[in-house]
Amino acid sequence: MAIGASELQDRFTAARRSGKTDSCLNGLVPPSCLIINEIGHRAFDKENTELFFHLIDQRYNKEGSFNMIFTSNKNPALWYEDFEEDATLLCTLDCIFDDATVFKLRVESFRGKKLLGYLQLS
């Protein structure tokens, strides 16, 4: 299952407003692999940072496969800029990086190449 960080933030906010945070989390915990794209493109308020922690914690502690993939243009050391609760974020990062494999790619953006080609044709 793949979800963008912006969509995740929207789901968390809607779940809080409707009082269905448990249901929201329960829908995100079971997949054997959860991909969260574009961490750092949208700020999470304190309550949504706590929900993000609960999601990661529940996946980390569940039995069976709990693979998680995060994509970001930001170094994880800078994620604190987008999450409002520092202590909660530290616990979350501890779960994420406890047994992680990190790939740091320094390549040109494929989307950027398309944009440059479009700008040159115009």
Side-chain angles (χ1 to χ4, degrees):
M1 171 183 197
I3 187 169
S6 293
E7 182 184 345
L8 184 63
Q9 167 82 318
D10 291 343
R11 280 192 191 187
F12 284 166
T13 300
R16 285 181 19 229
R17 288 183 181 150
S18 65
K20 297 182 179 180
T21 56
D22 288 342
S23 176
C24 177
L25 291 174
N26 289 340
L28 295 166
V29 171
S32 60
C33 183
L34 178 65
I35 302 168
I36 302 176
N37 290 308
E38 300 179 342
I39 296 286
H41 285 271
R42 185 134 173 232
F44 279 54
D45 62 18
K46 181 179 179 177
E47 292 83 6
N48 286 351
T49 297
E50 290 177 10
L51 287 173
F52 182 68
F53 166 73
H54 288 298
L55 170 62
I56 302 307
D57 185 57
Q58 287 180 29
R59 289 188 57 80
Y60 180 81
N61 289 305
K62 80 175 196 163
E63 290 191 28
S65 183
F66 64 90
N67 297 304
M68 293 179 277
I69 299 171
F70 301 89
T71 67
S72 180
N73 289 336
K74 281 189 167 182
N75 183 318
L78 299 176
W79 287 4
Y80 72 90
E81 296 172 350
D82 301 299
F83 292 90
E84 211 168 281
E85 179 59 46
D86 289 342
T88 302
L89 180 60
L90 286 175
C91 292
T92 305
L93 293 174
D94 187 50
C95 288
I96 291 171
F97 291 102
D98 179 47
D99 191 24
T101 301
V102 177
F103 297 95
K104 185 175 182 178
L105 305 175
R106 290 185 181 249
V107 297
E108 290 184 47
S109 166
F110 290 109
R111 288 179 272 185
K113 283 184 179 182
K114 284 183 182 180
L115 177 62
L116 289 176
Y118 174 76
L119 292 174
Q120 290 172 353
L121 296 174
S122 299

